[in-house]
Amino acid sequence: MDVSQYLEIFIDETKEHLQNLSDQLMVLEQEPENMDVINEIFRAAHSLKGMAGTMGFKRMQRLTHDMENVFQEIRSENMKVESELIDVLFRALDALEAYLNEIMETANEGTEENEEIVNTLNAIAAKATGKEAPEQAAKAPEGGKEETSADSGDGEGEAKYQSISISDFEKHTFEKAQNDNQNIFGITVSLQESCILKAARAFLVFKALEELGEVIKAVPSVQDIEDEKFEMDFSLLYFTKESLETVKNAIESVSEVKHAVVGIYTLPDLHTSDSAVEKPETKVEEPEVKEPVAKAPVAAQQAVKKQGAKPAQKTAQKNAQQKTAKPTVGRTVRVDIEKLDVLMNLVSELIIAKNGIVSTSSADEESRLNSALNEQIEYLESVTTNLHESVMKVRMVPIESVVNRFPRMIRDLTKKLGKKMELHMSGEETELDRTVIDEIGDPLQHLLRNSADHGLESNEERIALGKDEVGHIYLDAYQDGNNVNIEVRDDGAGINVEKVRNKAIEKGTITPEQAEAMTDKEIIDLLFRPSFSTAEQITDVSGRGVGLDVVKTKIEGLGGNIECKTEMGEGSSFIIRLPLTLAIIQALMVELGTEKYAIPLGNIQTIEDIPFSEVKHVQTKEVINLRDAVIPLIRLDKILDVEPGEFKPESLTVVIVSKGDKQAGLVVDNLIGQQEIVIKSIGDYINCSKLIGGATILGDGEIALILEVNTLV
Amino acid sequence: MDDINDVQNVEVASEGKQYIVVHLGSEQYGIDIKYIDNIVRMSKITRIPMSQKYFKGVINLRGEIIPVMSLRLKFDLVPDEYTNATRIIIIKLESQSAIGIIVDEVKEVVTLDEASIEKPNSADANDIRMQYLSGVGKHVDGLITLLNISSVINDKEKEMV
């Protein structure tokens, strides 16, 4: 079978399974007795094995098979989870990841046998359960599977519909239907095992039924059936005026339907049998429930036998299915990111064109009076804005996809550094543009390693200081206006500012005189200079001197910035601010002399009119006192070398901007208004200062520069 | 591209390279035609604060933002005076974004074969301006200084204020 066309799906799904395995193993390490987790891991390993087998990746299959075996033993309580086992499993996970990477690059799993891991796994399984264990375990899953199929292959099938429970609301519908002389049928449809497109067959059944009557309820739910989340059969409650035979024939005329059991359904409370009502919807207890059903040919004997071997596995699968359903599997389409880029560019063009129309129509006297035209333009504006938002949302990815590998990393560091520490994450659901997500992983990893290695003290020191022995590292992501902030925090020793100061002098980065004059904050900022590492000991975790400056460069490359706060003895935190969107923003257009500049709206707090008399001087710097805050003024025309206009205003127009908790007032000549602008790069030929974040094309074809408020403040 | 048609197309020979001849003051410079993407008339240039002196700013060329440098300032000549003949030549080097250079006038396209190009004298190699040259072409109208266009535009002198 040619499976190459499935390769991409295989890779994506394997990634998901591996991540899931990794997450679950982390949990398992904390709660070695948690059966749900064990089942989940078993299931993930099992699916991986199946997928690898289908794709012909034998080595991968073998490794997952052995992992599955071990968990089979744990599930049957023949052995316990120990930390030694977890370590091996993590190594196995790494090996699987290596296979996957190899497959991604070469479409081949490579030749690494990982003999040692396989042997260790087998040895562990054997040790715990005696010699026969491996073989037994190897057989168990297959055995289970066969029985599953044998089960649904049983003769006439079972009238599982009897076990459908109904709510009060539905009862009402039932009574109505009865009054209406409709027949209420329960139907259980079984598909052939060979059926591949189960959902499609189910759909055909539904379609056939809906021609004759009305489907009231389905178990599993219609959504689950559409998503193929059912085994070989599903049950329905059905109202129709047709006869039982007609309905049965209609269903069985759909191909690949093995058989349909159709019977009159009676309301459970009219009936004295309470088994159907009491029965929860989970099918775990199926065997017992089946027994009271008269038609069920399944002998009690068989049911008992099944209970032994099968339910465990079935439970696992059921649980697993419920779990995977957690992110309600919607209908999705995988799209190449490049196609989205093209789409985004087109939206940008559209917005430029729209701005063009807006500016011509407002310049032209005649069309300004034409209200119909204005209405249409307003409509166009709202459509383009919405279009932009939608495209942007499509490009947004939760940050989870980057940070979910960190718990594992911290776990490994715990072992490597011999420090106990815990990672607490929040805001994993915060979304960022895909391009940012792709780039942010390394800087975050670096910061976390930094915190783990340099930030946190050793366990002994912590105890001596009266702190919790276990170090805590926090990774918080949250949205703040037009920015997304990601904070990496630790409760370690904090940065020793004096040490940094001395180090900087020693390295010749600054002179002793400069060092005297610098504030603590400025000293800390030195850490972001190239080749500046204060770690006394260079470890292989961090501290090669190529550190924070790389992080900073990367983040600035994404249009963001990074800031460090620290408190001796309390810990330090690194705050990364990233723009929510990269391409299109709302901005305030201002005039300086004859030039136009754009200030991103997200940075702006207020706009104030300040009389000259209120401008105060503090250390030769101009400041204003606004609502009890002293805000420094920035004369944009001076900074940007703008030729002063002739017009001399009586007061200053000040745009108050903020970065984090810092504020500044930008003095401008004139305000033009708010506008949606498309950010374009001005290329890398020009050595422009960091004050300019890019340029944008205005409606009249003119270019306005975008001010980078984060560097101004 | 309209402006290229204005240029008198003197020779199209089978051998040799084609150069666009531009005027800068009293001198003639030749630019290899294969790097030229477009020639446009002077349009509004938006100044970029604190950039290198010879960068006049950016222009909007059909929705693209393109930086523009003054060849005169780059070569330490007297600053440009924009006239009706002033043109911006849009240069596009492989795998680099486009850049415009301002010239006084675009004169013609000439074809020079190997024999009529003299390589720069290595003794002059220390002269800063020499690094921008790839040779001197001999033509009926006189000598044409051939520009090494990639060194002209890729030379990022740090002239931050």
Side-chain angles (χ1 to χ4, degrees):
Chain A
M1 184 168 82
D2 178 26
V3 290
S4 56
Q5 53 175 321
Y6 302 114
L7 195 61
E8 259 177 59
I9 302 175
F10 170 77
I11 290 171
D12 282 337
E13 291 193 352
T14 307
K15 266 190 202 159
E16 274 164 34
H17 281 303
L18 286 179
Q19 183 57 49
N20 189 13
L21 265 179
S22 165
D23 292 346
Q24 299 294 339
L25 277 178
M26 299 286 296
V27 180
L28 188 66
E29 193 170 31
Q30 302 305 319
E31 314 161 25
E33 304 279 314
N34 190 331
M35 258 308 158
D36 283 350
V37 174
I38 292 170
N39 285 331
E40 177 73 14
I41 295 176
F42 177 81
R43 188 198 61 86
H46 182 76
S47 324
L48 271 176
K49 183 181 91 170
M51 282 159 50
T54 320
M55 298 296 291
F57 298 131
K58 295 274 179 281
R59 294 182 182 86
M60 217 170 153
Q61 189 185 5
R62 178 162 157 229
L63 190 54
T64 40
H65 174 80
D66 290 332
M67 284 172 78
E68 192 189 338
N69 282 352
V70 171
F71 277 92
Q72 177 68 27
E73 291 307 321
I74 300 171
R75 279 178 28 179
S76 24
E77 296 183 355
N78 288 337
M79 60 186 281
K80 290 239 178 295
V81 179
E82 281 155 18
S83 85
E84 179 201 4
L85 173 67
I86 301 263
D87 284 339
V88 180
L89 287 170
F90 270 122
R91 267 167 46 218
L93 214 57
D94 289 339
L96 288 175
E97 231 160 90
Y99 282 139
L100 183 66
N101 287 337
E102 188 72 27
I103 290 167
M104 271 154 72
E105 273 160 30
T106 63
N108 205 310
E109 61 176 337
T111 53
E112 179 61 52
E113 294 283 354
N114 287 306
E115 205 59 59
E116 190 233 326
I117 300 175
V118 170
N119 289 341
T120 325
L121 277 176
N122 285 338
I124 291 176
K127 195 174 79 189
T129 58
K131 265 196 173 168
E132 285 165 285
E135 270 142 281
Q136 247 178 32
K139 271 179 196 160
E142 269 85 11
K145 234 197 260 166
E146 271 159 38
E147 274 183 79
T148 316
S149 48
D151 165 39
S152 39
D154 278 337
E156 259 292 288
E158 314 121 31
K160 285 188 187 168
Y161 60 82
Q162 290 290 9
S163 58
I164 297 178
S165 63
I166 53 169
S167 64
D168 285 351
F169 168 73
E170 283 156 344
K171 259 179 225 160
H172 187 67
T173 331
F174 269 78
E175 281 155 22
K176 233 169 143 185
Q178 272 172 336
N179 296 341
D180 214 20
N181 282 334
Q182 298 217 38
N183 296 322
I184 305 169
F185 291 144
I187 304 170
T188 296
V189 181
S190 304
L191 299 174
Q192 289 172 10
E193 281 88 69
S194 57
C195 174
I196 297 170
L197 298 167
K198 290 189 290 178
R201 292 301 165 210
F203 174 75
L204 288 175
V205 171
F206 274 85
K207 205 171 153 226
L209 287 174
E210 263 153 22
E211 276 169 19
L212 304 173
E214 205 182 339
V215 176
I216 298 305
K217 192 180 170 91
V219 173
S221 73
V222 179
Q223 181 67 45
D224 283 349
I225 292 176
E226 276 177 12
D227 293 342
E228 278 197 13
K229 283 190 202 141
F230 62 104
E231 310 228 313
M232 279 350 254
D233 54 56
F234 54 91
S235 305
L236 308 166
L237 291 185
Y238 184 59
F239 293 167
T240 182
K241 289 193 172 162
E242 305 291 330
S243 72
L244 198 141
E245 263 321 288
T246 330
V247 174
K248 192 170 160 74
N249 286 340
I251 299 171
E252 287 183 345
S253 68
V254 175
S255 57
E256 289 193 288
V257 169
K258 195 160 73 182
H259 52 73
V261 181
V262 183
I264 307 256
Y265 183 85
T266 37
L267 281 177
D269 55 345
L270 304 177
H271 204 57
T272 41
S273 148
D274 46 11
S275 68
V277 182
E278 266 177 27
K279 191 205 166 278
E281 271 187 59
T282 41
K283 283 194 186 168
V284 184
E285 288 168 34
E286 245 164 39
E288 286 101 336
V289 188
K290 269 182 229 151
E291 283 163 9
V293 179
K295 233 181 171 180
V298 193
Q301 234 186 350
Q302 243 178 317
V304 172
K305 206 170 83 191
K306 259 185 284 172
Q307 240 176 336
K310 202 190 68 179
Q313 176 165 357
K314 250 197 157 171
T315 317
Q317 282 177 351
K318 278 275 147 17
N319 279 349
Q321 275 181 9
Q322 274 159 8
K323 267 192 193 139
T324 38
K326 185 179 59 184
T328 1
V329 188
R331 290 155 202 236
T332 53
V333 179
R334 279 179 207 276
V335 183
D336 190 337
I337 187 84
E338 271 170 32
K339 287 187 188 162
L340 288 181
D341 285 342
V342 172
L343 190 59
M344 195 65 171
N345 281 340
L346 288 173
V347 173
S348 306
E349 297 290 317
L350 186 64
I351 286 174
I352 292 175
K354 176 214 69 181
N355 286 345
I357 296 177
V358 172
S359 76
T360 41
S361 79
S362 56
D364 185 10
E365 191 61 34
E366 215 170 290
S367 50
R368 192 156 32 175
L369 299 171
N370 187 341
S371 67
L373 178 66
N374 276 336
E375 242 169 61
Q376 290 306 312
I377 286 177
E378 268 171 36
Y379 180 54
L380 178 66
E381 282 199 297
S382 82
V383 171
T384 48
T385 309
N386 285 337
L387 179 64
H388 165 226
E389 266 173 28
S390 320
V391 175
M392 219 180 75
K393 273 190 202 129
V394 170
R395 295 173 53 94
M396 300 287 256
V397 184
I399 194 166
E400 188 180 6
S401 58
V402 183
V403 300
N404 56 13
R405 62 181 149 112
F406 292 143
R408 166 75 198 281
M409 187 187 88
I410 293 295
R411 175 199 174 270
D412 289 354
L413 285 178
T414 307
K415 303 235 154 166
K416 203 161 177 181
L417 297 170
K419 287 183 196 174
K420 284 185 196 157
M421 53 186 135
E422 266 170 32
L423 177 65
H424 308 265
M425 301 203 291
S426 74
E428 294 104 313
E429 71 289 341
T430 314
E431 291 190 326
L432 271 172
D433 192 278
R434 174 63 199 254
T435 17
V436 179
I437 290 282
D438 288 345
E439 298 288 320
I440 197 70
D442 288 346
L444 283 181
Q445 179 171 347
H446 195 101
L447 290 176
L448 286 171
R449 281 168 169 265
N450 233 357
S451 288
D453 198 12
H454 307 318
L456 296 177
E457 313 92 330
S458 66
N459 291 135
E460 299 76 45
E461 276 175 62
R462 289 185 71 92
I463 295 169
L465 287 166
K467 285 185 180 178
D468 183 6
E469 182 189 359
V470 181
H472 297 271
I473 300 176
Y474 302 84
L475 180 71
D476 303 319
Y478 52 94
Q479 197 173 331
D480 175 24
N482 246 355
N483 288 321
V484 166
N485 291 5
I486 305 175
E487 222 178 301
V488 176
R489 202 149 44 88
D490 63 62
D491 66 348
I495 297 170
N496 187 334
V497 179
E498 282 316 306
K499 210 158 125 191
V500 178
R501 203 188 293 261
N502 294 335
K503 186 89 171 190
I505 298 171
E506 188 187 307
K507 284 202 167 189
T509 320
I510 50 170
T511 62
E513 293 77 44
Q514 278 176 312
E516 274 311 301
M518 285 168 89
T519 62
D520 285 1
K521 181 129 189 48
E522 285 166 327
I523 295 284
I524 288 170
D525 282 343
L526 286 177
L527 293 173
F528 294 106
R529 296 265 189 100
S531 27
F532 199 99
S533 174
T534 54
E536 271 149 18
Q537 219 173 3
I538 289 176
T539 66
D540 65 342
V541 177
S542 64
R544 286 195 199 82
V546 281
L548 290 173
D549 65 308
V550 181
V551 172
K552 188 180 164 111
T553 320
K554 194 119 196 191
I555 287 169
E556 282 177 350
L558 295 170
N561 63 70
I562 181 166
E563 193 188 338
C564 174
K565 286 183 186 162
T566 187
E567 190 86 28
M568 272 299 275
E570 304 273 312
S572 24
S573 66
F574 289 85
I575 302 157
I576 298 173
R577 268 183 219 99
L578 291 164
L580 205 50
T581 123
L582 297 174
I584 301 168
I585 57 167
Q586 291 285 343
L588 176 73
M589 301 302 301
V590 299
E591 231 170 5
L592 289 169
T594 55
E595 296 177 4
K596 286 176 185 162
Y597 289 89
I599 305 174
L601 217 54
N603 294 113
I604 299 179
Q605 292 204 314
T606 54
I607 298 169
E608 307 284 339
D609 224 9
I610 309 282
F612 278 117
S613 56
E614 283 189 19
V615 178
K616 307 276 187 303
H617 290 266
V618 173
Q619 292 181 336
T620 73
K621 282 181 187 148
E622 286 181 307
V623 298
I624 51 170
N625 198 332
L626 188 71
R627 290 182 279 275
D628 292 333
V630 177
I631 299 173
L633 282 189
I634 298 176
R635 296 272 184 173
L636 282 182
D637 51 352
K638 298 250 166 58
I639 292 185
L640 299 172
D641 275 330
V642 181
E643 285 185 24
E646 283 144 39
F647 156 80
K648 287 275 170 262
E650 285 149 27
S651 60
L652 293 174
T653 308
V654 180
V655 180
I656 309 289
V657 294
S658 69
K659 165 188 158 190
D661 43 15
K662 270 203 282 182
Q663 285 185 319
L666 308 180
V667 180
V668 300
D669 288 352
N670 230 332
L671 301 173
I672 301 172
Q674 182 184 335
Q675 203 178 348
E676 190 167 55
I677 58 167
V678 178
I679 304 176
K680 299 218 167 202
S681 149
I682 50 175
D684 47 8
Y685 290 113
I686 298 186
N687 275 334
C688 87
S689 76
K690 285 185 180 151
L691 294 179
I692 306 296
T696 187
I697 296 175
L698 302 178
D700 56 5
E702 241 186 275
I703 296 173
L705 301 179
I706 302 164
L707 292 176
E708 187 56 68
V709 171
N710 288 332
T711 41
L712 269 172
V713 178
Chain B
M1 286 289 179
D2 348 29
D3 281 286
I4 289 183
N5 299 333
D6 296 346
V7 177
Q8 309 139 11
N9 217 333
V10 187
E11 303 158 44
V12 182
S14 51
E15 290 286 315
K17 282 179 172 173
Q18 284 189 304
Y19 290 86
I20 285 200
V21 179
V22 300
H23 276 207
L24 223 55
S26 55
E27 291 180 57
Q28 296 193 92
Y29 291 92
I31 301 170
D32 192 335
I33 206 165
K34 75 176 176 196
Y35 299 124
I36 295 180
D37 184 61
N38 212 334
I39 298 175
V40 295
R41 284 172 186 275
M42 207 48 203
S43 59
K44 171 140 176 36
I45 297 182
T46 306
R47 187 185 68 97
I48 307 274
M50 287 172 290
S51 58
Q52 301 98 311
K53 290 244 160 35
Y54 53 83
F55 268 111
K56 299 302 286 180
V58 288
I59 57 165
N60 169 11
L61 182 70
R62 286 184 280 276
E64 290 292 309
I65 290 183
I66 297 182
V68 175
M69 68 156 75
S70 155
L71 216 47
R72 275 173 169 269
L73 292 181
K74 180 90 183 173
F75 292 167
D76 287 328
L77 305 173
V78 281
D80 304 73
E81 252 175 59
Y82 302 137
T83 67
N84 222 4
T86 308
R87 293 288 181 275
I88 299 173
I89 300 181
I90 310 294
I91 307 281
K92 180 102 182 65
L93 287 189
E94 278 173 47
S95 72
Q96 275 185 290
S97 47
I99 182 170
I101 55 177
I102 303 172
V103 298
D104 288 359
E105 191 185 349
V106 175
K107 206 179 146 212
E108 58 186 353
V109 178
V110 297
T111 306
L112 298 173
D113 51 36
E114 288 285 322
S116 55
I117 297 177
E118 211 164 285
K119 290 287 161 202
N121 193 338
S122 56
D124 297 336
N126 293 330
D127 184 351
I128 299 170
R129 270 171 68 184
M130 288 310 286
Q131 61 175 316
Y132 302 139
L133 306 185
S134 65
V136 175
K138 280 172 281 188
H139 191 63
V140 277
D141 292 344
L143 297 179
I144 301 166
T145 314
L146 304 179
L147 291 177
N148 176 354
I149 203 70
S150 111
S151 76
V152 171
I153 64 174
N154 284 325
D155 162 53
K156 283 195 202 170
E157 290 166 47
K158 300 281 176 225
E159 281 191 30
M160 299 278 286
V161 184

